[in-house]
């Protein structure tokens, strides 16, 4: 079992829908990161969080430390949101990231 | 520069040859990371440099892989006697300080193809 599990692996939705991507982890962490990778493109860091909730535009990330779970939400989704979303954690005492397998999101117009 | 710069962007090599991949981090960033993304696979950690501390090499898959960081800035990842399974996108990232407190900025990657 991977230390970081994402669900779903693939998600297709219509423009305007509310999107939720989930991430569960099994180790104690000092921070959790959400990353975005567009097809053929580089990786961009969306959020880093260790507690609570963060919001940036139409993106919201939440984390529940007790339940070892985080969610990434996209409101009013748009085709340009189509990308792979990756959850990653830095475990306590470690400086490296452990990555989930990613969620491939496709938003159809 | 404005972002993390990696070179070359693409590298095609023959099995058994050595390759060097270069990463130029954001100026002032003390932490530098190398990752690998194989086709259809997720990202995996290779090596981490932080200031003058000994690097964390725990992710290097074999002794054919090595990396150095000169003067606390530019880093080179070297793969000796390349194998076909080394084909992947090699990504470099840097952060202001250690990862738990700072976001990482990724380079565009080097796509390595071993024929």
């Amino acid at each position: 079992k991977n230390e970081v599990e994402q669900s779903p692996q693939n998600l297709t939705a219509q423009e305007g829908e509310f999107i939720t991507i989930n991430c569960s982890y099994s180790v104690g962490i000092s921070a959790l990161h959400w990353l975005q990778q567009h097809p053929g493109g580089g990786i961009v860091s969306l959020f880093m969080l260790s507690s609570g909730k963060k919001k940036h535009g139409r993106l919201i990330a939440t984390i529940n430390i007790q339940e070892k779970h985080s969610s990434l939400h996209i409101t009013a989704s748009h085709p340009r949101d189509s990308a792979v979303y990756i959850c990653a954690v830095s475990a306590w005492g470690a400086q490296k990231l452990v990555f989930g397998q990613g969620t491939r999101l496709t938003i159809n117009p | 520069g404005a972002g993390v710069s990696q070179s070359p962007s693409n590298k095609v090599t023959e099995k058994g040859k050595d390759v060097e991949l270069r990463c130029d981090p954001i100026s002032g960033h003390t932490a530098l990371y190398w990752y690998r993304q194989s086709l259809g696979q997720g990202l995996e950690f290779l090596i981490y440099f932080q200031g003058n501390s000994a690097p964390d090499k725990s992710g290097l898959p074999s002794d054919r892989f090595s990396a150095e960081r000169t003067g606390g800035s530019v880093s080179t990842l070297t793969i000796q006697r390349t194998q076909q399974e080394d084909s992947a996108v090699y990504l470099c990232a840097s952060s202001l300080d250690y990862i738990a407190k700072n976001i990482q900025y990724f380079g565009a990657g080097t796509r390595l193809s071993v024929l």
Side-chain angles (χ1 to χ4, degrees):
Chain A
K1 191 178 188 303
N2 293 332
E3 290 178 307
V4 182
E5 295 278 354
Q6 285 184 238
S7 63
Q9 290 187 335
N10 292 281
L11 177 57
T12 299
Q14 291 301 119
E15 183 174 357
E17 288 188 34
F18 181 81
I19 303 298
T20 295
I21 300 171
N22 295 299
C23 176
S24 296
Y25 53 92
S26 58
V27 296
I29 67 168
S30 50
L32 182 142
H33 301 250
W34 281 102
L35 310 171
Q36 180 192 56
Q37 186 173 31
H38 280 284
I43 294 175
V44 174
S45 180
L46 298 175
F47 295 103
M48 185 191 71
L49 61 165
S50 54
S51 65
K53 175 180 176 178
K54 288 190 176 180
K55 184 176 189 292
H56 184 252
R58 294 180 295 105
L59 301 177
I60 303 166
T62 63
I63 188 168
N64 185 317
I65 295 294
Q66 287 73 31
E67 295 186 3
K68 292 187 167 62
H69 182 269
S70 175
S71 293
L72 177 68
H73 305 286
I74 305 175
T75 62
S77 59
H78 190 277
R80 64 175 174 266
D81 297 327
S82 298
V84 175
Y85 292 84
I86 303 166
C87 172
V89 301
S90 54
W92 278 114
Q95 301 306 322
K96 63 184 182 183
L97 287 180
V98 178
F99 298 89
Q101 287 297 100
T103 295
R104 184 175 301 277
L105 174 66
T106 303
I107 304 296
N108 293 318
Chain B
V4 177
S5 177
Q6 290 188 246
S7 62
S9 54
N10 285 282
K11 176 71 177 179
V12 180
T13 190
E14 293 179 351
K15 179 182 172 181
K17 300 283 190 183
D18 297 353
V19 295
E20 284 190 351
L21 312 180
R22 176 188 167 104
C23 173
D24 200 343
I26 293 173
S27 178
H29 281 193
T30 61
L32 186 147
Y33 306 78
W34 282 99
Y35 301 100
R36 179 168 73 173
Q37 188 172 37
S38 303
L39 185 63
Q41 301 296 315
L43 284 153
E44 61 174 325
F45 165 80
L46 296 176
I47 188 169
Y48 158 70
F49 295 91
Q50 171 62 50
N52 295 320
S53 303
D56 177 355
K57 305 179 182 180
S58 60
L60 294 178
S62 78
D63 58 8
R64 295 186 296 106
F65 287 72
S66 63
E68 62 176 19
R69 188 178 185 191
T70 54
S73 181
V74 172
S75 177
T76 302
L77 177 69
T78 301
I79 309 173
Q80 296 178 307
R81 305 181 301 282
T82 52
Q83 303 294 313
Q84 289 184 332
E85 61 262 28
D86 300 334
S87 296
V89 176
Y90 289 82
L91 292 153
C92 176
S94 71
S95 64
L96 190 60
D97 202 332
Y98 62 101
I99 191 58
K101 296 297 182 185
N102 295 276
I103 64 171
Q104 290 187 100
Y105 296 85
F106 285 79
T110 294
R111 183 174 300 275
L112 175 66
S113 299
V114 182
L115 304 179

